[in-house]
Amino acid sequence: MGIIVQKYGGSSVATAEHIRAVAERVKRVRESGHDLVVTVSAMGKQTDRLLRLAGEVSRDPSPREIDQLLSTGELQSVALLAMALHDRGVAATSLTGPQAGMKTTGRYGSGVISGIQPGRLRGLLDEGQVAIVAGFQGVNTLGDIMTLGRGGSDTTAVALAAALGAERCEIFTDVDGIYTADPRIVPEARRIPVILPSEMAEMAWRGAKVMHPRAVELGALYGVEIHVKSSFEEGPGTIIMGGNGLEHLETRETVAGIVHDLDVSRITLTGIKTGPGTMSRVFSPLAEAGISVDVIVESAPKEGTSDVAFTVRRGDFREALRLAGEVADSLDGQVEGEEDLGKVSVVGTGMLNRPGYAARMFATLGEAGIPIRLVSTSEIQVTCVLPAGRVEEAVRVLHRDFELEERDV
Ligand code: ADP
Ligand code: ASP
Ligand code: MG
């Protein structure tokens, strides 16, 4: 029988009781004859607690030390799960990311996996042991621990599944699959039984935090079949896999889901002198500071000046405003910003080449009196930036108007 990689998120290992329940589940799968690699996240909100602690001892903790600290959350979980398995007579060994051969590069706090040396893992599996790997971490060429960005344990799991040629990767969380919208906001949301990796990746990038976007992309790249399930109840969950079934061809559902993200701020430079190279002058300092920019809108130039608006994460707002202010000064313009925003996206590969989705979205938001600050579209999504306080309402009205609650599952 093949290898299965399982990942249990923070809420699934929040307490000793939860860890015992995970151990029971792992034991059952192991007894069915599968080789098992299990990745776990930090217990409950432990990562948030550690981050808060860092903020209490230092005004500006160094990214390297933050990673050193955060990585300990996952270490607690793996050791505890190994103990719970031993108690049940299951041979298991816990490993840190580095011990599991997880190599990373890039910036502290948002490390990317550069390779996996799975020798030690394979050795454990050959001995009939369950290998338990700390999620969300790896080691760089300096020998330092790096973390993969918030929610990154999903990426650890899928990367391990790819490296080991696993039969599938199972992501256990606190919802029983991917829904047409966050079920905590839209109780009528429907579970999606099977979703294309392209749609899931777009939903994840746009804010559906149920899966880390890089995990979905890795899965698509290496052909890993990902199952998203509840760790609290049995059920089919959602399967993320490439679709080559012909039964729906072009009549497939056009919209996969409504996604939201509350971690959005806007910065606008107004009246800046414009010409070739202006955009580079605005965005290069942000890139150098490691600030990711999302929606970008530039107005048509009028009398040699234009306005440029863009969004960043709230954590980057102050620094981005400062950098944009310097650029605006040098281009005889001004800068202003709005910190408390969110965005809502309608996502679906079926929207490709079918006009009218953006118009329908604007009409729905307009009827509800919800103001739109910025818009971005691509062939598989339309995104509107809105005041944060109106985001949940926007998700609900769009879910209703796009008739997603009537979706047959
Ligand atoms: P874990 O700790 O297991 O990694 P997360 O909190 O990262 O879990 O992700 C699960 C949460 O994602 C759910 O509790 C749910 O509120 C949220 N979520 C957002 N969008 C969706 C969606 N479209 N389908 C399912 N869950 C979603
Ligand atoms: N513990 C990390 C976080 O809270 C990683 C994860 O849960 O996937 O972001
Ligand atoms: Mg998560």
Side-chain angles (χ1 to χ4, degrees):
M1 254 188 240
I3 300 172
I4 294 180
V5 176
Q6 293 191 329
K7 177 256 172 177
Y8 293 89
S11 49
S12 310
V13 292
T15 63
E17 192 187 343
H18 285 88
I19 292 178
R20 288 195 296 269
V22 168
E24 288 294 338
R25 189 187 277 274
V26 168
K27 180 177 182 203
R28 282 198 301 277
V29 180
R30 180 69 195 113
E31 284 172 351
S32 72
H34 280 98
D35 284 343
L36 249 189
V37 175
V38 180
T39 303
V40 274
S41 295
M43 295 170 71
K45 304 260 174 248
Q46 180 68 353
T47 309
D48 293 330
R49 271 195 294 274
L50 292 170
L51 268 175
R52 256 198 318 276
L53 261 178
E56 284 169 20
V57 298
S58 163
R59 261 168 292 136
D60 188 21
S62 97
R64 178 188 180 277
E65 300 307 331
I66 291 184
D67 274 7
Q68 190 89 332
L69 177 69
L70 294 192
S71 68
T72 63
E74 269 65 17
L75 300 193
Q76 295 180 338
S77 316
V78 287
L80 290 167
L81 181 57
M83 293 173 196
L85 283 166
H86 296 163
D87 226 42
R88 285 161 180 74
V90 179
T93 298
S94 70
L95 299 172
T96 65
Q99 286 171 334
M102 191 70 69
K103 308 288 178 197
T104 50
T105 183
R107 287 172 187 266
Y108 293 107
S110 56
V112 291
I113 301 169
S114 51
I116 299 180
Q117 291 169 346
R120 180 124 186 234
L121 280 175
R122 287 212 184 273
L124 289 173
L125 297 180
D126 289 346
E127 289 167 17
Q129 296 214 43
V130 175
I132 308 170
V133 180
F136 173 60
Q137 58 182 256
V139 61
N140 66 15
T141 50
L142 298 173
D144 286 343
I145 290 239
M146 298 185 87
T147 64
L148 306 181
R150 298 305 305 270
S153 297
D154 297 332
T155 300
T156 303
V158 176
L160 287 170
L164 295 166
E167 214 167 84
R168 62 178 183 271
C169 180
E170 297 177 336
I171 305 286
F172 288 94
T173 183
D174 57 359
V175 277
D176 65 338
I178 313 292
Y179 276 70
T180 49
D182 186 341
R184 287 182 205 289
I185 291 183
V186 186
E188 299 80 20
R190 309 284 291 179
R191 182 176 54 83
I192 306 171
V194 182
I195 187 167
L196 290 172
S198 52
E199 282 177 334
M200 189 60 234
E202 193 67 31
M203 284 177 70
W205 281 118
R206 301 276 152 203
K209 71 174 176 138
V210 59
M211 277 294 292
H212 198 232
R214 281 160 46 199
V216 185
E217 286 188 347
L218 266 186
L221 205 58
Y222 291 95
V224 178
E225 191 174 300
I226 301 172
H227 296 217
V228 180
K229 297 182 183 198
S230 164
S231 59
F232 303 110
E233 52 188 287
E234 294 299 325
T238 294
I239 301 177
I240 306 172
M241 64 175 185
N244 47 12
L246 290 178
E247 66 268 40
H248 294 304
L249 218 62
E250 284 203 301
T251 57
R252 280 188 328 102
E253 300 289 359
T254 47
V255 172
I258 312 292
V259 183
H260 72 283
D261 183 354
L262 284 165
D263 188 5
V264 180
S265 297
R266 172 188 60 81
I267 289 172
T268 304
L269 296 88
T270 51
I272 52 171
K273 274 193 301 198
T274 187
T278 303
M279 291 298 258
S280 154
R281 278 181 70 178
V282 174
F283 292 106
S284 296
L286 297 166
E288 277 158 28
I291 297 176
S292 318
V293 173
D294 186 25
V295 178
I296 300 177
V297 177
E298 188 190 13
S299 69
K302 221 165 71 189
E303 291 161 13
T305 69
S306 71
D307 301 343
V308 176
F310 57 90
T311 61
V312 294
R313 294 188 166 281
R314 285 176 197 224
D316 290 328
F317 177 68
R318 298 269 148 224
E319 180 65 358
L321 193 64
R322 190 184 66 75
L323 292 168
E326 285 176 7
V327 178
D329 272 352
S330 71
L331 295 171
D332 299 336
Q334 264 140 26
V335 75
E336 57 98 11
E338 209 178 354
E339 192 169 2
D340 210 12
L341 295 174
K343 59 188 182 192
V344 177
S345 310
V346 176
V347 174
T349 46
M351 287 157 50
L352 202 77
N353 294 330
R354 296 189 198 195
Y357 286 92
R360 188 165 165 195
M361 184 176 189
F362 303 153
T364 299
L365 296 176
E367 276 156 30
I370 298 174
I372 300 171
R373 296 281 197 271
L374 295 172
V375 175
S376 100
T377 62
S378 75
E379 58 279 21
I380 66 167
Q381 59 81 31
V382 185
T383 297
C384 292
V385 176
L386 323 164
R390 306 299 298 271
V391 164
E392 293 198 0
E393 182 191 355
V395 174
R396 280 192 283 269
V397 291
L398 288 165
H399 194 271
R400 187 194 61 214
D401 281 8
F402 279 88
E403 295 167 6
L404 295 179
E405 58 211 53
E406 277 133 52
R407 180 72 52 88
D408 206 13
V409 290

